[in-house]
């Protein structure tokens, strides 16, 4: 055991071989202030399989990815993920701050997440960038513009919704979300693939079982 421990040097996941970089977690186990892998980048980009993504990577995200955000859950909390117009990942609680409609039911247009209910739009870093009902039209309906104070309202919505933002990062072929305070997210604690004598190439696959997921989790924990 000591020999193996000296060579491994940390926790190693047998499915996607990684090394933990959070020694505090070993001394004080906790589900908080930890990075969790929630998706593969190819899933965010709308591909069906990693092979499909590898063959078409040079084309960028699939056209369908520009119309549908990615929905998942972390410890039961619904989360929505999309790419902004700079192709950077954005993660938020899957709930519109207006009427709590799941944002994952909406669409992504030009790097902005659009709520399916009243059309509120969220852009870079989850900022609220547009509320259609704030716009006014001229009598001839040819010009659409924001009414006075609209920019202040958008900023107010952004500030009020900041608690719903989640730290997210794409790292070594996985998409990680931080469970904890946004400002305390530490990328140095991200798990990393081992290098050198134990370097491996991770290969992912999807297996469909005709049982509830809890049975699979229990089996893997045994």
């Amino acid at each position: 055991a000591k020999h193996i421990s000296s060579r491994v040097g940390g926790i190693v996941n047998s499915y996607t071989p990684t090394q933990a970089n959070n020694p505090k977690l070993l001394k004080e186990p906790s589900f908080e202030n930890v990075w969790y892998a929630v998706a593969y980048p190819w899933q965010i980009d709308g591909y069906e399989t990693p092979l499909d993504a590898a063959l078409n990577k040079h084309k960028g995200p699939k056209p369908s990815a520009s119309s549908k955000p990615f929905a998942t859950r972390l410890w039961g909390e619904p989360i929505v993920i999309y790419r902004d117009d700079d192709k950077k990942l954005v993660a938020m609680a899957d709930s519109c701050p207006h009427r709590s409609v799941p944002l994952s039911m909406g669409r992504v247009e030009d790097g902005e997440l659009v709520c399916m209910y009243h059309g509120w739009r969220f852009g870079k870093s989850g900022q609220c960038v547009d509320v259609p009902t704030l716009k006014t039209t001229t009598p001839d309906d040819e010009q659409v513009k924001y009414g006075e104070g609209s920019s202040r309202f958008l900023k107010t919505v952004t500030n009020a919704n900041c608690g719903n933002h989640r730290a997210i990062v794409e790292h070594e072929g996985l998409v990680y979300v931080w469970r904890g305070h946004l400002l305390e997210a530490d990328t140095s604690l991200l798990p990393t693939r081992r290098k050198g004598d134990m370097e491996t190439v991770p290969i992912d696959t999807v297996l469909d079982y005709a049982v509830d997921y809890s049975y699979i989790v229990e089996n893997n924990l045994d």
Side-chain angles (χ1 to χ4, degrees):
K2 291 183 178 181
H3 172 70
I4 295 176
S5 177
S6 64
R7 292 177 62 83
V8 172
I11 298 176
V12 173
N13 185 305
S14 61
Y15 292 96
T16 303
T18 59
Q19 172 180 291
N21 293 313
N22 191 348
K24 181 180 178 181
L25 191 63
L26 298 178
K27 297 179 180 179
E28 301 176 11
S30 173
F31 295 121
E32 303 294 331
N33 298 322
V34 178
W35 289 102
Y36 289 90
V38 297
Y40 292 101
W42 56 265
Q43 293 177 298
I44 307 296
D45 294 335
Y47 292 102
E48 296 296 329
T49 67
L51 178 60
D52 184 25
L55 294 176
N56 298 280
K57 187 177 181 180
H58 64 284
K59 299 179 182 179
K62 294 186 68 173
S64 60
S66 63
S67 61
K68 193 68 177 176
F70 181 80
T72 188
R73 286 176 177 264
L74 178 58
W75 287 103
E77 178 193 20
I79 293 177
V80 62
I81 301 173
Y82 66 97
R83 291 189 187 274
D84 63 21
D85 57 0
D86 289 331
K87 307 306 179 185
K88 293 184 178 180
L89 292 173
V90 180
M92 303 168 56
D94 193 6
S95 176
C96 181
H98 183 211
R99 294 299 185 199
S100 299
V101 172
L103 289 169
S104 58
M105 295 178 66
R107 63 189 187 281
V108 180
E109 291 183 351
D110 300 323
E112 295 177 355
L113 178 59
V114 185
C115 180
M116 55 82 69
Y117 196 13
H118 292 103
W120 286 32
R121 303 173 75 100
F122 303 88
K124 296 179 180 179
S125 302
Q127 297 181 8
C128 183
V129 296
D130 184 26
V131 175
T133 53
L134 293 178
K135 297 177 181 178
T136 59
T137 60
T138 56
D140 55 10
D141 290 331
E142 293 181 354
Q143 183 179 7
V144 180
K145 61 182 180 179
Y146 280 111
E148 184 178 356
S150 296
S151 59
R152 292 196 301 272
F153 181 81
L154 294 176
K155 185 175 182 179
T156 298
V157 172
T158 295
N159 292 338
N161 192 47
C162 65
N164 286 330
H165 299 170
R166 302 290 180 265
I168 185 171
V169 65
E170 186 174 339
H171 174 68
E172 294 188 347
L174 289 170
V175 175
Y176 289 87
V177 170
W178 175 262
R179 180 174 171 84
H181 196 285
L182 181 68
L183 299 179
E184 295 179 354
D186 186 351
T187 55
S188 70
L189 301 180
L190 281 163
T192 57
R193 291 204 297 267
R194 291 188 61 84
K195 306 296 182 180
D197 61 332
M198 294 189 67
E199 188 168 358
T200 58
V201 177
I203 299 176
D204 62 87
T205 184
V206 177
L207 301 177
D208 291 324
Y209 295 96
V211 297
D212 185 75
Y213 79 94
S214 59
Y215 288 95
I216 306 303
V217 173
E218 181 181 0
N219 181 68
N220 287 335
L221 290 175
D222 285 344

